[in-house]
Amino acid sequence: MHALRAFKALGAIDAKGPAAYVHFRAAAVALGPLMRALQQRATQPTERQVLADVQAAYFATRRAWLRPHIQARLRAIAAEHEAEEKAAGLLEARVGALRDWCAFLMAACADEARLYRDFFDDDEAKDGLLRAFLDSAMTLFHEQVRPLVIHESDVAVLAGLSLTLLTYRRMAPQSAEGEEGSGSGSESEEDDEDGLDAFYAVVAHVLQDTQHRLAYKAQSYIRAHISGYRIAAPDADAMARWVHVCLRLRIAGPAQLSTLLDEGASGLSAEDAECLRWVYPPIESCRWLVAQIDGCLDYEVQCGLADEARTACKQNLLSIGARFVRDSSIKSENPLTEADAELIAHLFATHNLGAIDHYPDSP
């Protein structure tokens, strides 16, 4: 009864943040020996029921403080990074917020596990009560992040979130690699000691949501920027200049063009070099997308999306890009014969196909 009154009194203390934690740690000095003695005597139904009531009171008191504390801190971190969004950019703001959320929750889980063991023996942690308590608290993280993920449409932001979550996921011991992160055996016990099983489990769920969204938006990007690309006036002018320089320099094939573009090649002006280095926009989009999703998804999914992007790129290049070069060469002020137009279109397609796997930093 003394323990129940003590936990009730602790719950009534109007303290926030570290102060409330300090009050519990101080109370554990007196209550801890009593709790451990009760655990040792809890061999009969009556004693076990008393122990269960005491543990329920402990978790109810901690829950009443911890959930509002987590909610307030998650919102405060979000507000801090929203204020920085204009200066740092959306990607940095979202990834920074996620990183700070994860760091805070790791510390919160470790603190709760340490506090629980100040009151109760380690053996009690293995019955699932502490893990269930922390799982309940970690749902607040999932509720905070999931709406951001499902409403995010920027591939770069989703990729950054996935990489950040993977960084924390890879910190989990091997036994926590499953979806629930519960594991068993000696490695699981070691992980229970720092109280991070619940954190790793919720990170796995959030990561799964983020990767699904990233894969979906990558496919949308392929449809919009690669398969759906149509030649506009600025790109048409760039293609016309590319054709003009190739004809003026009498470039006969991809090998000759590559030689001219090699560093240190002589006889090529800076203006001509810039013109010849122009790349068909769907290829830039393809290279950028493949670079963005690299390491962010399961290997099979990543390879499938990369192949889908390359295939869409090749189809657009051959059906729209090369055809445009051929037709515009025939209809230009200095028209080419159909045979010469076919050759320059073939050169354009071959040169650009060879550029697909060269990844730039940005599209």
Side-chain angles (χ1 to χ4, degrees), residues 243-265:
V243 170
H244 174 73
V245 172
C246 286
L247 292 174
R248 178 165 55 80
L249 297 178
R250 299 180 182 275
I251 298 174
Q256 182 184 356
L257 178 55
S258 297
T259 300
L260 283 174
L261 292 176
D262 283 344
E263 293 184 5

Side-chain angles (χ1 to χ4, degrees), residues 156-276:
V157 172
L158 290 167
L161 296 177
S162 293
L163 283 175
T164 301
L165 290 166
L166 278 167
T167 299
Y168 285 97
R169 189 71 184 95
R170 288 165 182 158
M171 295 179 185
Q174 187 65 31
S175 60
E177 288 297 316
E179 181 176 316
E180 296 301 324
S182 54
S184 61
S186 60
E187 289 186 352
S188 179
E189 292 173 12
E190 180 182 350
D191 188 44
D192 282 344
E193 290 179 1
D194 55 26
L196 296 180
D197 277 352
F199 170 75
Y200 292 136
V202 74
V203 164
H205 288 302
V206 174
L207 174 61
Q208 187 178 50
D209 291 340
T210 306
Q211 288 178 324
H212 287 169
R213 181 67 174 170
L214 174 58
Y216 170 74
K217 294 310 298 182
Q219 289 179 315
S220 299
Y221 184 90
I222 292 170
R223 290 192 296 270
H225 297 278
I226 300 178
S227 296
Y229 169 79
R230 296 297 180 267
I231 299 171
D235 294 335
D237 292 341
M239 295 168 75
R241 290 194 297 272
W242 187 92
V243 170
H244 174 73
V245 172
C246 286
L247 292 174
R248 178 165 55 80
L249 297 178
R250 299 180 182 275
I251 298 174
Q256 182 184 356
L257 178 55
S258 297
T259 300
L260 283 174
L261 292 176
D262 283 344
E263 293 184 5
S266 58
L268 189 64
S269 68
E271 183 179 354
D272 286 348
E274 181 181 359
C275 180
L276 292 177

Side-chain angles (χ1 to χ4, degrees), residues 87-332:
L90 180 62
L91 174 60
E92 292 297 326
R94 293 287 169 82
V95 171
L98 180 61
R99 190 181 297 116
D100 288 350
W101 283 335
C102 288
F104 161 68
L105 291 170
M106 288 183 76
C109 285
D111 287 344
E112 288 302 316
R114 184 163 48 250
L115 182 62
Y116 182 78
R117 290 180 174 88
D118 285 344
F119 286 92
F120 303 98
D121 280 339
D122 286 350
D123 288 342
E124 287 299 319
K126 299 172 187 176
D127 62 9
L129 293 176
L130 177 61
R131 173 61 190 273
F133 167 69
L134 292 175
D135 279 339
S136 175
M138 291 302 101
T139 59
L140 297 173
F141 176 55
H142 193 266
E143 292 168 0
Q144 178 79 24
V145 177
R146 192 168 187 276
L148 297 179
V149 169
I150 63 177
H151 291 103
E152 183 57 64
S153 59
D154 191 315
V155 170
V157 172
L158 290 167
L161 296 177
S162 293
L163 283 175
T164 301
L165 290 166
L166 278 167
T167 299
Y168 285 97
R169 189 71 184 95
R170 288 165 182 158
M171 295 179 185
Q174 187 65 31
S175 60
E177 288 297 316
E179 181 176 316
E180 296 301 324
S182 54
S184 61
S186 60
E187 289 186 352
S188 179
E189 292 173 12
E190 180 182 350
D191 188 44
D192 282 344
E193 290 179 1
D194 55 26
L196 296 180
D197 277 352
F199 170 75
Y200 292 136
V202 74
V203 164
H205 288 302
V206 174
L207 174 61
Q208 187 178 50
D209 291 340
T210 306
Q211 288 178 324
H212 287 169
R213 181 67 174 170
L214 174 58
Y216 170 74
K217 294 310 298 182
Q219 289 179 315
S220 299
Y221 184 90
I222 292 170
R223 290 192 296 270
H225 297 278
I226 300 178
S227 296
Y229 169 79
R230 296 297 180 267
I231 299 171
D235 294 335
D237 292 341
M239 295 168 75
R241 290 194 297 272
W242 187 92
V243 170
H244 174 73
V245 172
C246 286
L247 292 174
R248 178 165 55 80
L249 297 178
R250 299 180 182 275
I251 298 174
Q256 182 184 356
L257 178 55
S258 297
T259 300
L260 283 174
L261 292 176
D262 283 344
E263 293 184 5
S266 58
L268 189 64
S269 68
E271 183 179 354
D272 286 348
E274 181 181 359
C275 180
L276 292 177
R277 286 194 175 95
W278 183 85
V279 177
Y280 191 54
I283 290 178
E284 289 189 327
S285 298
C286 175
R287 300 187 309 189
W288 178 81
L289 178 64
V290 172
Q292 286 296 313
I293 65 175
D294 184 32
C296 299
L297 299 165
D298 291 338
Y299 181 73
E300 293 77 8
V301 175
Q302 178 180 314
C303 289
L305 286 170
D307 289 343
E308 182 180 345
R310 292 187 184 101
T311 299
C313 186
K314 292 174 184 178
Q315 290 175 344
N316 188 288
L317 172 63
L318 296 175
S319 63
I320 296 178
R323 180 179 296 178
F324 178 85
V325 169
R326 176 188 178 280
D327 293 346
S328 61
S329 298
I330 293 174
K331 299 174 183 178
S332 65

Side-chain angles (χ1 to χ4, degrees), residues 4 7 35 38-39 48-61 116 120-121 124-125 127 129:
L4 294 177
F7 288 139
M35 297 300 98
L38 177 59
Q39 287 177 263
R48 286 198 295 268
Q49 183 59 51
V50 172
L51 177 60
D53 292 342
V54 170
Q55 288 177 319
Y58 170 85
F59 284 121
T61 303
Y116 182 78
F120 303 98
D121 280 339
E124 287 299 319
D127 62 9
L129 293 176

